[in-house]
Amino acid sequence: MNLPMNDRGTPVAAPRLCALLTCFNRADKTLASLAALQVSAARAGVELSAVLVDDGSNDGTAEQVRQRFPWVTVEVNRGTPLFWCRGMHRAMELGLQTPADYLLLLNDDTMLYEQALAVMFSCVPAAGQPGGVIVVGSTQDAATGRHSYGGERVRAPGRPLSFVLVPPTDEAQEVETFNGNVVLLPRPVVQQVGLLDPAFEHAMGDIDYGLRARRLGVRLLLAPGFQGACSNNPVNGTFKDVSLPLSKRWLHLLGRKGLPWRSWLVLTRRHGGWRWPAYFAWPYVKVLFEGVRGLSRVR
C-alpha cells in the first residue's frame, strides 16, 4: 500500500487500524485468523491493534492470544453469553476507546489473504473527498472457492428483507448491506452510524448496520476480488434442514442461532416498511407449513 501524501509530497502517518473480533471455544481458528490479520496489516502498511471479546471460552483462547499477540486487547465475558452481535458491540465500544482511524469487523474464522487490507484501503476515498464510505470484503470457501460472505443487494423490488450476495469483480461496486466477516469502517462513519445494535441476539446486526448506514447517506463499497477464506455455516441441524421433525426445526428457528423473534421483529419493523408484519410472520408460517406438509406425506 502506498501511504497517502500531504500537499508537500511528504508521506503522512500510517493509518491506525483496530480489528474487532469476538470468539468462543475455537482457539485454533482464532489464532490463525489473528496471524493472517497481522500479515495482511504489515503488507498494507497500517499500524495494527485489535480487540478480542472472548465470550467465556474454556479452551484457553484468551491466554494463548495474550501470549502470542501482545498487540491484542482481550476482554473475557464472564456473564450471560453475548454471542456474535453483542460480543462485537462490546468490541466496538472498546475499539472506539483506542486512537484508531479505522475499525475492522473481522470474524475469527475468517482467514485474510495477504493483500486483503491493502486492497480494501485502496477503496477508501482520498483525503478531502466528500462522503463516508464503508468498505466490504468478500470471502470464499477455502476448499471449493465458492463465494461465501460479503456484500449484498435486495433480491427484487418489493422484497426489502431478502438479499443476495454480490459477486466481487475487478472493480469496486456499490452494495446495499453486508455480512460482517471483514468490513472496514472509518472512525467518522462509526461516530455517525453508531455501534452494532445489541438488540440483535446473535445474527442480523451486520445486515441492520449496513441498512442504517445507507439510510444516513454512507456509501457501501464492495472491494475488488476476494479478501479471505471462510466457509458457510452448514444447513444440517438448523431450522433450514427440512429433514428434521417440525418440533426440532421450530426450536432451532426460535433459538439464538436461528431466527429469534425479538431480533427478527427489530429488523422487520426497522427496515420492512409498512408491510413489516407480513415479513415478520412469513418465516415462522413457512416452517409450520413445511412441517405440517411433511407430516401429511408421512401419513
Side-chain angles (χ1 to χ4, degrees):
M1 173 183 171
N2 294 323
L3 292 178
M5 303 284 183
N6 61 21
D7 294 338
R8 300 175 182 175
T10 304
V12 299
R16 295 169 295 188
L17 175 69
C18 182
L20 312 175
L21 305 90
T22 188
C23 69
F24 178 71
N25 273 357
R26 50 185 185 185
D28 289 346
K29 287 187 176 182
T30 304
L31 294 169
S33 181
L34 288 169
L37 166 66
Q38 190 170 24
V39 171
S40 189
R43 171 72 178 271
V46 301
E47 182 182 320
L48 178 64
S49 64
V51 170
L52 173 69
V53 175
D54 184 321
D55 201 12
S57 299
N58 56 19
D59 64 349
T61 300
E63 294 77 9
Q64 293 180 69
V65 170
R66 290 187 179 113
Q67 182 177 10
R68 286 187 53 182
F69 305 105
W71 45 271
V72 179
T73 298
V74 180
E75 178 174 281
V76 179
N77 173 47
R78 299 300 186 189
T80 303
L82 299 171
F83 288 82
W84 185 83
C85 189
R86 291 172 180 171
M88 293 297 284
H89 168 87
R90 177 57 181 158
M92 290 184 83
E93 285 184 325
L94 296 173
L96 283 176
Q97 295 173 18
T98 74
D101 306 303
Y102 297 88
L103 302 181
L104 181 76
L105 305 182
L106 181 65
N107 269 22
D108 76 319
D109 61 347
T110 296
M111 309 302 153
L112 291 181
Y113 297 148
E114 184 175 341
Q115 78 285 0
L117 291 177
V119 171
M120 294 181 76
F121 270 100
S122 73
C123 299
V124 176
Q129 291 188 9
V133 172
I134 291 173
V135 182
V136 181
S138 300
T139 63
Q140 59 187 158
D141 185 278
T144 66
R146 184 177 178 181
H147 190 187
S148 51
Y149 299 101
E152 297 188 331
R153 291 192 184 121
V154 173
R155 184 182 300 274
R159 301 181 67 181
L161 294 173
S162 180
F163 303 98
V164 292
L165 276 173
V166 178
T169 65
D170 293 336
E171 303 290 336
Q173 307 172 70
E174 298 271 355
V175 292
E176 294 174 307
T177 189
F178 55 77
N179 308 132
N181 294 66
V182 50
V183 181
L184 183 63
L185 304 168
R187 175 182 285 269
V189 169
V190 178
Q191 292 170 331
Q192 178 185 7
V193 180
L195 308 181
L196 287 162
D197 191 340
F200 296 100
E201 299 155 74
H202 175 57
M204 295 181 267
D206 46 1
I207 300 296
D208 169 73
Y209 198 90
L211 295 174
R212 283 162 48 203
R214 288 253 307 172
R215 187 176 293 172
L216 292 172
V218 177
R219 297 173 66 205
L220 274 59
L221 286 182
L222 182 68
F226 288 101
Q227 278 63 58
C230 184
S231 299
N232 283 112
N233 293 323
V235 171
N236 294 343
T238 72
F239 77 90
K240 296 180 181 180
D241 186 349
V242 295
S243 68
L244 293 178
L246 175 59
S247 58
K248 288 188 176 181
R249 285 190 71 191
W250 188 255
L251 287 175
H252 287 309
L253 177 64
L254 297 180
R256 283 275 188 99
K257 294 186 177 181
L259 202 68
W261 70 267
R262 291 180 181 85
S263 298
W264 184 233
L265 179 65
V266 172
L267 193 72
T268 53
R269 290 185 67 175
R270 189 174 287 171
H271 303 293
W274 66 271
R275 289 182 289 186
W276 74 262
Y279 298 131
F280 171 77
W282 170 243
Y284 307 106
V285 172
K286 181 181 178 183
V287 168
L288 287 173
F289 176 76
E290 290 174 344
V292 171
R293 184 174 59 180
L295 289 173
S296 64
R297 286 177 178 175
V298 171
R299 292 174 183 173

